[in-house]
Amino acid sequence: MAFKTDIEIAREANKKPIQDIGAKLGISSDHLLPYGHDKAKVSQDFINSVQDRKNGKLILVTAINPTPAGEGKTTTTVGLGDGLNAIGKNACICIREASLGPNFGMKGGAAGGGYAQVVPMEDMNLHFTGDFHAITSAHNLLSAMIDNHIYWGNELEIDERRVSWRRVLDMNDRALRDTVVSLGGVANGFPRQTGFDITVASEVMAILCLATDLEDLQRRLGDMIVAYRRDKSPIYCRDIKADGAMTVLLKDAMQPNLVQTLENNPAFVHGGPFANIAHGCNSVIATTTALKLADYVVTEAGFGADLGAEKFMNIKCRKAGLAPDCVVIVATVRAMKMNGGVAKADLGTENVDAVRKGCPNLGRHIANVKGFGVPVVVAVNHFVTDTDAEVAAVQAYVKEQGSEAIVCKHWADGSAGVTELATRVAELADSGVSNFAPLYPDEMPLLQKIETIAKRIYHADEVLADKGIRDQLKAWEEAGYGNLPICMAKTQYSFSTDPNLRGAPTGHSVPVREVRLSAGAGFIVVICGQIMTMPGLPRVPAAENIRLSADGQIEGLF
Amino acid sequence: MAFKTDIEIAREANKKPIQDIGAKLGISSDHLLPYGHDKAKVSQDFINSVQDRKNGKLILVTAINPTPAGEGKTTTTVGLGDGLNAIGKNACICIREASLGPNFGMKGGAAGGGYAQVVPMEDMNLHFTGDFHAITSAHNLLSAMIDNHIYWGNELEIDERRVSWRRVLDMNDRALRDTVVSLGGVANGFPRQTGFDITVASEVMAILCLATDLEDLQRRLGDMIVAYRRDKSPIYCRDIKADGAMTVLLKDAMQPNLVQTLENNPAFVHGGPFANIAHGCNSVIATTTALKLADYVVTEAGFGADLGAEKFMNIKCRKAGLAPDCVVIVATVRAMKMNGGVAKADLGTENVDAVRKGCPNLGRHIANVKGFGVPVVVAVNHFVTDTDAEVAAVQAYVKEQGSEAIVCKHWADGSAGVTELATRVAELADSGVSNFAPLYPDEMPLLQKIETIAKRIYHADEVLADKGIRDQLKAWEEAGYGNLPICMAKTQYSFSTDPNLRGAPTGHSVPVREVRLSAGAGFIVVICGQIMTMPGLPRVPAAENIRLSADGQIEGLF
């Protein structure tokens, strides 16, 4: 049996005009700003008009720690959304936008896979509605204005060595990681060392995804710290007077993008912050809008539950006043096997013991999520090589943890393969058993917050932070930033900071390498390990094989 | 009497849905890819379907050398288009897109002015349909792939000192003019000196504006020279294998953008190459498409006729097989006075002598354009301070040159102010008197082409080019580039290379500082004087005052 590729399936999609999709959510066509026939932004007037409505149920899809076997978190998010609609519920999906740059390195990402996809796939992997370009422009306008301020006399007394605001491009370009700018003489300014990050790593991206409206956006942009004086006092974006123009550049980017699944159900695809130095969730405005328009909103968070769900709860839900009604943890038999020590090449062979051995990774995520007071169900995203005995082993293990694991075949069958999960999720969400609370209160000291995450979520023994880091955290507390939540940046492959430590490790420490203040986004980034904010291209970039075919189809992007 | 500002007038526009504007040109709504309700791209299928149609008449609007008094070339282009429609003709306008970056330096540019504007003005000065962002992405993908090639072993043996391909941003950022990249150690590549230009200066922009279709676009992108080996042999974009992916990134950007004038007439706004190191005209695909859809197409070229019209004729028309049927040269009484020696502060006072004294600048442009075998009419773009005697002096002078000058009041009155000009332009275009020929044949040696432009258009005595430049031109001829046209890059303020030499100077020389081969665009750039390809921001950038008002209007951008 030959399977169709994701892009083949996506191209066969029987897409409906985006106005029809909007109509499913009660959005009239004059409140949809079309981008082509299959994409649209929702007007702010419409969003304002629905604020008094009751919220639907919020369902988070998260996952075990990712393995090279793949777990299919987005695919399950899309499949569950379609499944809920298939059982007669009014459901909407909220996921992140894809970054353009990485598509030219490795093969481009789809939005979902198989028969659980969001379309138009090509557009979503290219310029889409231009949101990331707008973020790039806004970010770099501020960069230019900082150097321009220094050039024209530096009235704010910026210490040129302490300009923390870099530049961004939505491109994998290692040559830009570390640069010297303003060479070439007096007319070009004062030479200084700086660099570029990829656009999704911009604090502007994080802010766009946390802002509730344009006014909040501008306030947060103004709050960003861009540089320091020689006395180490901060210079804000507001001091540079860039916040107004940046907001103008981001005006359209703030509006959620509406697209559709292969089954013509509505999907908001909006925002895409890094899941390490930022919180890794789609925009608050998309999620809160969807909650006003649908009875069930299915969303996801980046990486595994130790990073993604933790930040979703402690950053996004806390700041946006959201509370999830049910959490789905995606696992696969293959990933359990890898956690159980099986090599990727051997995943096709039945190995029930290895499945059992790998299950504690899943078990810890279940316990962690339950710790937020939210009901959990496990989705076993089915692969063709999975045997009944292996699936049964996962289900038995999950039952022992007091939860249930439901097999899903949305990849192969679309909504028909996920009705059992959809039914159970709707029951749990409707049951009212959710009693959500974040992991720590705002007023807890910063270091204690870090320790709480490390101990409660990672099950580490301790946090290692030297005096410099402890002093910095104290200084921020004194400056009024002590009430911010923590945004952990560590490997996604393990509960620990060692990517090779699979399963459910204990007895480990969490060494803090660096802390950063994202004063506009409103969190403290705690960096544990190497975090790359500007990727490079591989030896043979995907770009070399990307081209238009004779009939105008895009080849090589997927 | 208080005049409304351009933006106030633009905001009062009674815009029609873009589908209605498309219908005026016979484009059905399924062939319009909408961007909001008032912008759309025209599908390639539709463009292909009209190729067998007869062309309409092509009218170029050009101008005297610009002065600080302003001449209103775009305003006249828009006004004339509306005027032709007002007298019952089926006319379409083709102009360039605005660059985003400069809007944050000085006050943003409108598309036309007064009651002769193209709308939506805000969008056109911000992200519009994303074309320039796509060009930025395509350009920088190639940059990243070049450094990546060197990083992974440099199989092509690129001389790192001779990478001519830089990076671009659509931003005024002087700090990026001259940079060192790939610092920070082995993982970041080989440090080398390079820099950024503004996006409109990218050869990708020039190519997009000269390509006839996506296949031609990809071929031209592949032809670009990006670096040299130690033996000085060229490395092409094709060698880096970036041409396919760049074409994919530019797929939508290649399609012309349709918008409307204040009087709901169709306008294509597409492409915007620099008018110095590139040819300064809107895209060939927009112009040739418009010629299939309208009986009269009014377009313009950058700067005064010595640069803009010359390049329109010798580069755009030559390459696209176009022939203008009539040329309009825009002049103003105020600009004549400045050419006649009056300071800007004194322009409000009647001074017929100064008008007469300034007229030879206009006279030379008239003679130059006639030299291309094309009928000329002068549009005197009326300002409220112009006196009857001053206007009469211009008209008398133009009559002596064997042409006629018609007063236009489209700025104040829209199409009603420009019917006389429209009527005369239609007569001339329909008369068949145009007998267009470029200034020089393809096979003329490169240096002789430069001399022909300098002597015939600038009325210079000689071209000064040292041995290095002459040798370079000969080397390109031997390499097969001798048949390319010349793209002159000099000051727009004078026929000479001295911006202070107003009027119609003679006895001057044209010193060539540098020559560059744009092998993909297909021209030789001849640089005479300082050409800035990355602008800076002024002491108080416009960005500082740009913001959203409480009711969501953009303030400070215009």
Side-chain angles (χ1 to χ4, degrees), chain A residues 34 36 127 148 173-175 182 249, chain B residues 34 36 127 148 167 174-175 182 249:
Chain A
H127 309 290
N148 191 59
D173 191 348
R174 69 171 66 73
S182 292
L249 279 167
Chain B
H127 308 291
N148 191 58
R167 286 173 175 82
R174 69 172 65 76
S182 292
L249 279 168

Side-chain angles (χ1 to χ4, degrees), chain A residues 232-277:
Chain A
K232 299 193 186 165
S233 61
I235 313 273
Y236 298 92
C237 169
R238 188 174 291 112
D239 300 326
I240 303 293
K241 298 180 187 159
D243 49 323
M246 292 172 78
T247 303
V248 167
L249 279 167
L250 295 168
K251 186 172 63 78
D252 292 337
M254 259 300 279
Q255 300 313 121
N257 305 300
L258 181 67
V259 287
Q260 64 192 288
T261 67
L262 292 177
E263 300 192 7
N264 310 123
N265 293 312
F268 285 111
V269 179
H270 193 220
F274 251 29
N276 44 44
I277 59 158

